[in-house]
Amino acid sequence: MRHAPSIVPLDRLDRDIYLVREDFGARAGCSWRETDEQDTDVETIIRDLSSGQYAYPVRIVAFNAMEGWSRDATSEIADELAERVRGRDEIMPALQAFIEANVTRRFGILLALPLRGAA
């Protein structure tokens, strides 16, 4: 049996890579977002999620080709985002939905909801 060469460049094997799967709606469905290589570290992913670069993220995976592992990092990222947005007055609805759906720790932000009949 032939051994297939790695698609990951050898000089970039020993680092953790994070990729985001996004829901593009009923017509387009879900897809792994195309991402520049330099934008696949955890801090960039968190920054991009916080700033609205992803409209409806549904899953985040992490892997390290050199160490030979991969894992679902969705809850880990949701927990970190929950910590970072704790003091914000406004959170984008899609980001809030992602955090609430995936957080493993208590999400301590209360949102002001309009009361019926109040104007």
Side-chain angles (χ1 to χ4, degrees):
M1 177 180 234
R2 289 181 31 195
H3 176 73
S6 173
I7 62 170
V8 180
L10 291 176
D11 62 335
R12 293 178 176 87
L13 279 176
D14 196 18
R15 71 180 194 92
D16 298 352
I17 308 266
Y18 289 78
L19 297 175
V20 178
R21 186 172 189 205
E22 188 166 13
D23 185 350
F24 293 101
R27 281 186 86 177
C30 293
S31 178
W32 296 100
R33 279 281 294 268
E34 184 176 339
T35 306
D36 287 336
E37 182 181 353
Q38 69 271 12
D39 296 334
T40 58
D41 62 285
V42 69
E43 286 302 318
T44 302
I45 294 296
I46 289 172
R47 184 184 68 234
D48 289 349
L49 286 162
S50 298
S51 67
Q53 296 296 315
Y54 297 96
Y56 296 101
V58 293
R59 176 87 45 228
I60 300 169
V61 295
F63 66 91
N64 186 307
M66 183 69 130
E67 294 175 7
W69 60 262
S70 64
R71 64 183 164 77
D72 183 342
T74 307
S75 293
E76 168 193 334
I77 300 298
D79 288 343
E80 183 62 29
L81 284 165
E83 289 295 320
R84 293 186 187 197
V85 301
R86 187 177 305 270
R88 287 191 191 174
D89 291 334
E90 290 185 29
I91 301 170
M92 288 173 271
L95 178 60
Q96 180 181 343
F98 172 78
I99 292 170
E100 289 175 348
N102 297 291
V103 73
T104 60
R105 297 186 294 236
R106 188 168 177 251
F107 186 49
I109 295 178
L110 297 176
L111 299 175
L113 299 174
L115 299 175
R116 286 188 181 158

